[in-house]
Amino acid sequence: MKKLSLVFICTMFVISNIFAQGAKAEFEKAQKAGKSIYLIVTDKLATGTDGLLKIVEDAQKTAKKTAVIKLDRDDKANADLISKYRLAGAPLPMVLVLASNGVASGGLTSKDATVEKLLSFLPTKTQAEVLLGFENDKPAFIVCGKKNAKDKTTIEAECKQAITSLGNKATQVFVDVDSKEEINFLALIKPDLTKTTVLVFNGKGQYTGTLESTAKSIRNRNLFQV
């Protein structure tokens, strides 16, 4: 009887610990699986949460590699996530769209949320890398062009040297303008699709200029001030 009681107590402790983690456990599981996250934020006073959940679930039918997680702002176990994403004063209910690396790409209230918007807000792999850099105040060199373009190697080397001159505190990525996987990101940054260009953003995520592959030197251009 004592052994049975001990097993029962241990089981209840494990269950209690799982619930005490709030949305954190689901969040970490989704990240490890490489999934983007639709984080539905609500509380006991929010109205329209069920309707928002339905819209998000409809979006998930198209965006297969996503997780839908409900976060209760009243639950103290969620305090870290509330603080990290500055959700304390956000109008509820709302859905926050997150990449698998945890970076937020946008948010929508229940009044504004549509399936189309939720799908367009999903960050691509390259976009997530750039956004993560912005969170760490890193400027970004976004090289856009065709994968087999003759000037791609040259312009990427020039960007790399520019980053070295910045103490390696910048992000450099390449976006293939023909890539279906980068459609959302391409629609957002809207590069010239006919030639290789470099879109430059400062560490605050503000666009500061575009350079063509014929530019003599990226290193000597002061494009990080707004």
Side-chain angles (χ1 to χ4, degrees):
M1 187 67 178
K2 289 183 179 180
K3 288 184 178 180
L4 181 61
S5 297
L6 182 60
V7 170
F8 177 76
I9 291 172
C10 289
T11 302
M12 290 306 295
F13 175 78
V14 171
I15 294 174
S16 298
N17 188 52
I18 291 173
F19 280 108
Q21 294 182 57
K24 186 178 179 180
E26 291 181 77
F27 194 89
E28 292 177 346
K29 182 180 179 181
Q31 286 185 307
K32 288 180 180 179
K35 294 182 177 181
S36 294
I37 299 169
Y38 285 126
L39 187 67
I40 299 175
V41 188
T42 187
D43 63 16
K44 61 184 178 183
L45 298 177
T47 58
T49 302
D50 289 343
L52 178 59
L53 177 60
K54 176 64 169 57
I55 294 172
V56 172
E57 288 178 339
D58 285 343
Q60 190 185 32
K61 292 176 183 177
T62 299
K64 301 297 183 180
K65 202 171 183 179
T66 58
V68 178
I69 300 174
K70 194 173 179 180
L71 184 149
D72 182 356
R73 194 164 66 181
D74 293 327
D75 189 342
K76 293 181 179 179
N78 294 323
D80 288 346
L81 291 176
I82 295 296
S83 176
K84 179 178 180 179
Y85 294 110
R86 301 176 184 178
L87 298 169
L92 302 183
M94 70 165 292
V95 54
L96 191 65
V97 186
L98 306 166
S100 60
N101 63 2
V103 67
S105 60
L108 293 165
T109 63
S110 58
K111 294 180 180 180
D112 298 324
T114 64
V115 171
E116 291 74 18
K117 287 182 180 179
L118 287 171
L119 293 175
S120 69
F121 275 26
L122 281 174
T124 68
K125 183 178 180 180
T126 305
Q127 182 183 356
E129 184 180 348
V130 172
L131 290 174
L132 186 60
F134 291 156
E135 282 196 356
N136 294 296
D137 297 319
K138 290 185 177 182
F141 292 94
I142 305 176
V143 182
C144 302
K146 295 186 180 295
K147 188 176 181 180
N148 298 319
K150 294 180 179 180
D151 55 0
K152 176 177 175 289
T153 301
T154 301
I155 197 69
E156 286 184 321
E158 188 69 30
C159 288
K160 187 174 181 180
Q161 290 184 34
I163 291 175
T164 300
S165 70
L166 292 170
N168 293 315
K169 295 180 180 179
T171 303
Q172 177 181 338
V173 296
F174 173 74
V175 183
D176 182 354
V177 295
D178 293 325
S179 173
K180 293 182 179 179
E181 295 179 355
E182 296 293 338
I183 287 177
N184 282 357
F185 195 26
L186 289 167
L188 183 66
I189 60 178
K190 299 177 181 177
D192 188 328
L193 303 180
T194 64
K195 54 189 173 183
T196 306
T197 57
V198 183
L199 277 65
V200 185
F201 291 79
N202 65 17
K204 296 179 182 179
Q206 297 167 316
Y207 169 76
T208 59
T210 296
L211 296 174
E212 295 184 15
S213 60
T214 54
K216 291 182 179 180
S217 177
I218 294 175
R219 286 167 288 167
N220 296 328
R221 292 176 179 261
N222 187 19
L223 291 172
F224 300 105
Q225 303 297 324
V226 172

